[in-house]
Every structure is written in structure tokens, then in C-alpha cells.
Amino acid sequence: MARKNYSEEFRRQAVDLFETTPGATLAGIADDLGIARGTLAAWVKTYGTGSRTAAIGAAPPSGGRPESPAAKIARLEAELAAVKAEKTKIETEKRILRQAAKYFAGGDELVSRFQFVADHQDAFEVKRLCEVIEIARSSYYAWVAAAPAREERARADAVLAEKIRVVQDPKQGGDRAYGAPRVTAELNDDKPEGERVNHKRVARVMKAHGLAGIRLRRRVRTTVPDQTEEKFPDQLNRDFTATEPNQKYVGDITYLPLADGSNLYLATVIDCCSRKLAGWAVADHMRTSLVEDALKAARADRESLKGALFHSDHGSVYTSKDYAKLCRVFGVTQSMGAVGSSADNALAESFNATLKREVLAGAATFGDEADARRRVFRWATRYNTRRRHSWCGYLSPSTYEARRATTLQAAA
């Protein structure tokens, strides 16, 4: 369903996009943003500067020989082949990402990515796997080459872990309360220099094998946790579906790299029912106001968020007291996945990957801040109004919601 009211910021961004897009037409930009051509024309008249960016690489006026039937057929066949190849590429990426989600549930994320490639190299090309999960092939092959050394270290660590267990075993004269410093001292007692073990290695092995010493003394609370940090239980449980729009949302923050080495940051609020990007905000910081602006944008789009669930990670902005207060004001219930688990917020992670892949189109960075803001604005608006989403039966999220509402109304 088309929006009836647009903020002044939206109107100005639409006009800016029209004026700065080489070769753009009112109809083309209006279609991308899901508005009427006349509406955009009125905005241009009100907010426009009167200047337009010239088309780059525009084709010269036709005046040569007309295209022959054979040449036309060859061209169309080539275009069809390119479309089929792109479709195959997208389907392969979807399959890879679905299978990769469980590898990122915990532990070292980079190692998990390497392990995923190793486990699936018979089903997909290593090059394709590395591209989709964003690791360098050279790094992966270096990790593979280092496997024998890792295995040897793992065996040595297992032997050391058994020695630590002996040191901590009361039945063998040990002490279960021993932590890394005392265990290290016990292991190194009367040992020559070449047989001594480093305390950092002992601490690492104890952590890996769950051998932390028991705290026998009562802990004195000397540091009061920051009261701005609030934690909420996971009420989504990786169920990224909803029976109605405006029931469940997920959100995240992702960075937008700029050519000068700095970053912008994008915060999102995504509807689990239609996958609509109900709210979003871009800023040059990751303060709480960034995610607050995204939630406020979602409320403006939906008119009300009362009774909705919002799921995020444990980022400090989402656990802040100010953000929790805003959620309560809007009637939103907060939910959070496990610490360090990207799979618990896989829908938001997947959205971020899609946005960067399609907006950057293979480039490493955006040109500058203005370029990033314009391109994200255009893509995000088009994502809702025109981009066909597989989840929605290849309708755009806005069209999916509108048709769903019409169907329900007719059935009532």
C-alpha cells in the first residue's frame, strides 16, 4: 500500500537523488521510490536546485546502420545467458548462506568460516565459498596448510590439560581452587628451563578445557554494573517468521566503508512477516541515537508499534537504558540473541550482506559520505517498493503487504 504522507527529509532525498543520478528521468526515479511521477515533479519544483548531473557515457544518437536480425538474436541470447548466470549465482549464494548459518553460532567466527569452506569444498567451488562468506582464499589456504601444526598443538594441549587436572585433583594431592598462576607454579616446580610452561599457555588451555579454579572466598562487589545496560531474553529463538505485519522485527547495525578510510553506519528495523525495511537510519557514529532514529522511522511508517517484538544482538546501543525507555514508550518488547551468535539474528545479517553486495556491486568502498547516503537511500526505498523478494513469492515487500491486506479484507 502506497504511503500517503512523506517527511520533508524523504522529499529532499528523492529530489537530490533525481538531480545527482546521471541520465535519470522523473518516471524512473519515481518508480524506484514507489511514488507517482507527478508527485516527484512537484517536489523537484519545490526543493530542486535546477542543476542536473550530465549522463556519463551516454550512447551517441543513432545514425548508423540498423541492427540486423541475426545481430539482434545474438545480442538477446547473450543477455538471456547473462540473466540465467546471475540467477544461478544468486541461488548458489542463498544455498551457501543457509548452510553457513549454523557454523557462526559460537566460537571463533573466522575459524568457523574456514571450517565451513573445508567442509563444503566438494559441493561448491572454494573461490565461490570464500566470496560469499567474505574471506580471502589465500587466508583459507594458509589455514589449511597450518592444519598439521594445529593438530600437533591440540595434542600437546590435551596432554597439558591432563597435567592440570592432576594439579587440581584433591584425590591426588591437588587443589581444585588453583587458578592459572598457581597451576603454572606447580607444573614448573623443580623443572629445568626447557621443560617449563608459560603461564599464558596454561591460562589458555584451562579456559579451553573448562578448568578454571573455584573461587573459595566470597567476592566483594566493588564495581556496580552500568545501569544503562539492560539485557533481555531471546523471545525469537531463530524463528524469523510472523503471521501478520508489525508483529516481529529484527534489527542490526552494519558499517558502510568510505574511500577515505572512514565509515558510516546503518541501523535497520526489518519486519519478519514481509521482510519490509520498516525503518532505517544512517549516521557517522554508533551512538544510541542511531538505533533510536531507526525505530522512530519504523513507528512513523507503521503509525504504531504497540505490541510488537524487536530482536537484536547485545550491542551496547541496544542494551542502553535510553533505548529500552524508547521501546517502552512505543510499546515494543525487546528480545536479544546469545552473545557472539550471529545465527540468532541471521535475518538481519543476511539483509546487511544483500545490501552491500547489491549497492557496492563489487566495489570495496563508497566514493564519499554523500554517495553512500544517496545509494543506500535509493536501494532501501526500492527494496521495499520494487525489488522482488523470494520470501514474498517474488513480490516486493510493500506489494506483498498490500495484496495480503486485500485478500484478508475480501475474505472477511
Side-chain angles (χ1 to χ4, degrees):
M1 183 179 296
R3 290 170 56 182
K4 297 181 180 179
N5 298 314
Y6 298 90
S7 66
E8 181 176 350
E9 181 184 5
F10 184 95
R11 299 179 186 188
R12 290 184 181 278
Q13 286 183 299
V15 172
D16 176 73
L17 181 63
F18 168 70
E19 292 186 339
T20 58
T21 302
T25 63
L26 287 170
I29 296 297
D31 283 345
D32 273 356
L33 302 182
I35 59 179
R37 180 188 180 282
T39 300
L40 180 58
W43 294 351
V44 170
K45 184 175 181 180
T46 302
Y47 301 106
T49 63
S51 62
R52 293 292 310 283
T53 300
I56 299 175
S62 60
R65 299 175 61 184
E67 186 179 33
S68 68
K72 183 176 182 179
I73 291 173
R75 176 175 56 80
L76 293 176
E77 288 179 342
E79 292 176 355
L80 179 60
V83 171
K84 289 182 177 179
E86 181 63 20
K87 180 180 179 181
T88 300
K89 177 182 177 182
I90 293 174
E91 291 297 327
T92 300
E93 289 181 355
K94 289 168 62 179
R95 289 170 57 199
I96 292 173
L97 289 173
R98 279 196 297 267
Q99 296 180 39
K102 63 182 180 181
Y103 279 76
F104 307 145
D108 189 320
E109 183 177 328
L110 183 58
V111 172
S112 297
R113 291 171 187 257
F114 289 150
Q115 190 62 55
F116 172 77
V117 175
D119 291 346
H120 293 80
Q121 60 182 336
D122 293 332
F124 305 97
E125 291 182 349
V126 170
K127 178 181 179 181
R128 195 81 191 103
L129 288 166
C130 292
E131 288 177 347
V132 172
I133 64 174
E134 299 180 345
I135 59 173
R137 271 190 296 165
S138 58
S139 298
Y140 166 70
Y141 286 124
W143 178 80
V144 171
R150 287 197 304 275
E151 292 173 359
E152 178 60 31
R153 187 175 72 170
R155 286 192 291 268
D157 287 349
V159 171
L160 178 58
E162 288 303 316
K163 294 180 180 180
I164 295 172
R165 288 189 178 95
V166 171
V167 171
Q168 293 183 327
D169 187 357
K171 295 181 180 180
Q172 301 187 55
D175 192 333
R176 187 67 183 87
Y178 274 14
R182 287 186 172 85
V183 169
T184 303
E186 186 71 21
L187 292 173
N188 290 337
D189 189 35
D190 297 329
K191 293 291 191 302
E193 186 65 29
E195 297 180 17
R196 297 173 69 85
V197 63
N198 184 277
H199 73 281
K200 292 182 179 179
R201 184 186 173 203
V202 171
R204 174 177 59 78
V205 172
M206 290 181 68
K207 181 178 180 180
H209 290 262
L211 299 174
I214 297 174
R215 294 181 180 272
L216 299 181
R217 293 182 299 175
R218 180 170 175 247
R219 297 185 64 181
V220 179
R221 190 179 185 188
T222 58
T223 302
V224 178
D226 187 348
Q227 295 302 314
T228 63
E229 294 185 355
E230 299 190 25
K231 307 301 168 91
F232 300 88
D234 185 351
Q235 299 189 43
L236 199 65
N237 296 315
R238 302 188 185 180
D239 178 13
F240 303 107
T241 63
T243 57
E244 297 281 345
N246 203 24
Q247 282 186 339
K248 294 195 298 187
Y249 294 92
V250 298
D252 195 13
I253 297 177
T254 189
Y255 72 95
L256 306 173
L258 306 181
D260 63 3
S262 63
N263 296 310
L264 291 179
Y265 300 93
L266 169 69
T268 56
V269 180
I270 305 164
D271 193 302
C272 290
C273 177
S274 64
R275 302 308 198 247
K276 180 178 181 181
L277 182 59
W280 56 280
V282 176
D284 59 358
H285 60 80
M286 288 196 299
R287 295 190 290 273
T288 304
S289 60
L290 172 62
V291 293
E292 287 180 330
D293 288 345
L295 192 65
K296 289 175 182 177
R299 183 174 183 270
D301 180 81
R302 295 304 197 188
E303 297 184 354
S304 173
L305 295 176
K306 187 175 182 180
L309 177 75
F310 178 78
H311 182 81
S312 67
D313 58 21
H314 280 261
S316 60
V317 291
Y318 292 117
T319 60
S320 69
K321 185 176 181 180
D322 287 342
Y323 190 73
K325 179 180 178 181
L326 181 64
C327 287
R328 287 193 293 270
V329 170
F330 287 171
V332 173
T333 300
Q334 283 188 263
S335 168
M336 294 181 177
V339 175
S341 174
S342 60
D344 285 352
N345 204 17
L347 175 56
E349 297 276 355
S350 176
F351 176 90
N352 291 340
T354 298
L355 181 148
K356 288 184 179 180
R357 181 178 66 248
E358 295 186 6
V359 176
L360 286 173
T365 64
F366 295 92
D368 55 24
E369 179 175 340
D371 176 54
R373 289 180 179 274
R374 287 168 182 154
R375 289 163 67 181
V376 170
F377 167 71
R378 182 173 190 172
W379 186 91
T381 308
R382 188 178 185 276
Y383 169 88
N384 283 335
T385 60
R386 291 194 60 189
R387 184 184 179 277
R388 297 181 182 274
H389 201 301
S390 59
W391 176 264
C392 302
Y394 292 98
L395 298 174
S396 71
S398 293
T399 302
Y400 175 81
E401 288 190 0
R403 290 193 182 181
R404 187 179 183 283
T406 300
T407 301
L408 293 177
Q409 187 176 17

